Amino acid sequence: MPLLRRVLEAGVNGWSDEPTLNLETDFYVAVGVVMAGAASFITCLGLNLQKLSLCAPENANKAPFAQPKWVAGLVCLVVGSIVDFMSFGLAPQSLLAPLAALSLVWNLGMASYLHGESYSKYDLYATFLIFLGTGVSISYASHEEKDYALSELMELWRQPRMAVYGVLVPLVLLFHWGLVRATTRGLIVGRRGK
């Protein structure tokens, strides 16, 4: 039992023996995390409102800006982005980045409610795993931010792993771009033949 308790507390205190909670700064971190989660929800709501408006048959010949739901969706996107930006001033990026995955969770519920889209038990399992992974990522992430001097950033830039990153990311993007092009041209066909 002491090992389980230590593992669970490690998400808050790190692996040191001294607690690292600081109520003065952790309040702002908690506010930042809540803001990021709310921003994810608001942004997802905006995208779903825009889809709802664009898919409505009565809006087929209307410009998007003439559709009130589409405009409301755009406002949600702007507000969600601003709230998300503000959250990064309150909490470390290591805590906020995993929250972006919550948009998949919000979208599952909204798409079902607003668009009548159905989901399978596998969608629920995947959503649960995303939610669980987000929680674990946040609980074990660093709760402190480090300020880097320009000389430290330049030293990090010169590391071999940065060169590997600089080569691998464009290669992965190029691979995915080629995969999308091959799929749209019909060179790659899915299991259902679509």
Side-chain angles (χ1 to χ4, degrees), residues 176-188:
H176 285 104
W177 175 77
L179 195 61
V180 168
R181 291 210 23 134
T183 303
T184 56
R185 290 183 175 177
L187 300 173
I188 299 175

Side-chain angles (χ1 to χ4, degrees), residues 63-142:
F65 283 106
Q67 302 173 21
K69 284 182 186 172
W70 190 91
V71 173
L74 180 64
V75 169
C76 286
L77 285 171
V78 170
V79 169
S81 297
I82 291 171
V83 171
D84 194 32
F85 179 73
M86 290 170 49
S87 71
F88 279 91
L90 298 173
Q93 182 180 1
S94 59
L95 283 174
L96 301 180
L99 289 175
L102 285 180
S103 63
L104 299 171
V105 176
W106 307 135
N107 193 50
L108 182 72
M110 282 186 211
S112 173
Y113 180 74
L114 293 175
H115 308 292
E117 294 178 7
S118 61
Y119 50 86
S120 68
K121 65 180 181 180
Y122 298 110
D123 294 327
L124 289 176
Y125 295 153
T127 302
F128 173 74
L129 285 176
I130 291 167
F131 198 73
L132 183 68
T134 300
V136 169
S137 297
I138 289 173
S139 66
Y140 284 92
S142 171

Side-chain angles (χ1 to χ4, degrees), residues 4-185:
L4 178 61
R5 181 176 178 178
R6 182 146 167 85
V7 168
L8 292 174
E9 288 175 347
V12 175
N13 298 331
W15 289 101
S16 68
D17 290 329
E18 295 183 30
T20 58
L21 281 176
N22 180 349
L23 293 179
E24 187 175 311
T25 58
D26 285 346
F27 173 74
Y28 295 113
V29 170
V31 169
V33 168
V34 169
M35 286 175 66
S40 173
F41 180 83
I42 293 167
T43 302
C44 188
L45 177 63
L47 289 171
N48 276 284
L49 283 174
Q50 287 184 324
K51 179 180 178 183
L52 187 65
S53 180
L54 291 174
C55 291
E58 65 271 10
N59 293 334
N61 295 326
K62 288 184 182 176
F65 283 106
Q67 302 173 21
K69 284 182 186 172
W70 190 91
V71 173
L74 180 64
V75 169
C76 286
L77 285 171
V78 170
V79 169
S81 297
I82 291 171
V83 171
D84 194 32
F85 179 73
M86 290 170 49
S87 71
F88 279 91
L90 298 173
Q93 182 180 1
S94 59
L95 283 174
L96 301 180
L99 289 175
L102 285 180
S103 63
L104 299 171
V105 176
W106 307 135
N107 193 50
L108 182 72
M110 282 186 211
S112 173
Y113 180 74
L114 293 175
H115 308 292
E117 294 178 7
S118 61
Y119 50 86
S120 68
K121 65 180 181 180
Y122 298 110
D123 294 327
L124 289 176
Y125 295 153
T127 302
F128 173 74
L129 285 176
I130 291 167
F131 198 73
L132 183 68
T134 300
V136 169
S137 297
I138 289 173
S139 66
Y140 284 92
S142 171
H143 293 85
E144 295 180 16
E145 289 189 75
K146 183 173 191 262
D147 292 326
Y148 290 97
L150 180 59
S151 60
E152 291 175 301
L153 290 175
M154 293 305 291
E155 184 59 35
L156 288 170
W157 175 259
R158 292 185 197 103
Q159 295 291 320
R161 63 183 167 197
M162 185 61 200
V164 170
Y165 176 81
V167 170
L168 282 180
V169 168
L171 286 176
V172 168
L173 290 174
L174 187 63
F175 171 75
H176 285 104
W177 175 77
L179 195 61
V180 168
R181 291 210 23 134
T183 303
T184 56
R185 290 183 175 177

